[in-house]
Every structure is written in C-alpha cells, then in structure tokens.
Amino acid sequence: MTQVKDLNKKRVCDLSDDRKTVYIRRGDCVTEVRAEKDGTLSVKCKKEPQAS
C-alpha cells in the first residue's frame, strides 16, 4: 500500500498496490472505495478498532 498525503504532509488515505482501491480512515471508521471492472465505484464502510 501507498500512503497519500495532502499539501500539509498529512496522511489522507492509502492506495492499494494495484491502484484500484482507496482506504480512508477517520477514527474507527474505514471507508473502502473500489474501482470495478465495469467502470463503476463501490463504497463500503466498516468499523474497526483503532490501533494504539
């Protein structure tokens, strides 16, 4: 995975190695945005415990 940072050098999201999935973490919620083969986007949200 590759970290994506904004102009303030803050981590915004992670990009998968195949560059088809973006993971956005805000608190304990992780949003996964995936590019499908037919050109559509699928979005899934899930709760995960925060790493300490």
Side-chain angles (χ1 to χ4, degrees):
M1 282 215 230
T2 304
Q3 292 182 2
V4 178
K5 296 186 178 186
D6 63 10
L7 295 175
N8 295 321
K9 307 293 186 216
K10 300 274 184 168
R11 183 176 174 184
V12 178
C13 61
D14 293 319
L15 185 60
S16 66
D17 292 332
D18 64 359
R19 303 182 65 82
K20 294 185 180 187
T21 306
V22 174
Y23 299 95
I24 304 167
R25 178 181 288 272
R26 299 279 296 178
D28 63 347
C29 181
V30 177
T31 303
E32 176 184 308
V33 182
R34 179 181 301 263
E36 301 294 341
K37 290 182 180 181
D38 62 359
T40 62
L41 297 176
S42 66
V43 179
K44 295 179 185 174
C45 299
K46 57 186 172 182
K47 292 249 183 191
E48 289 187 355
Q50 285 184 304
S52 42

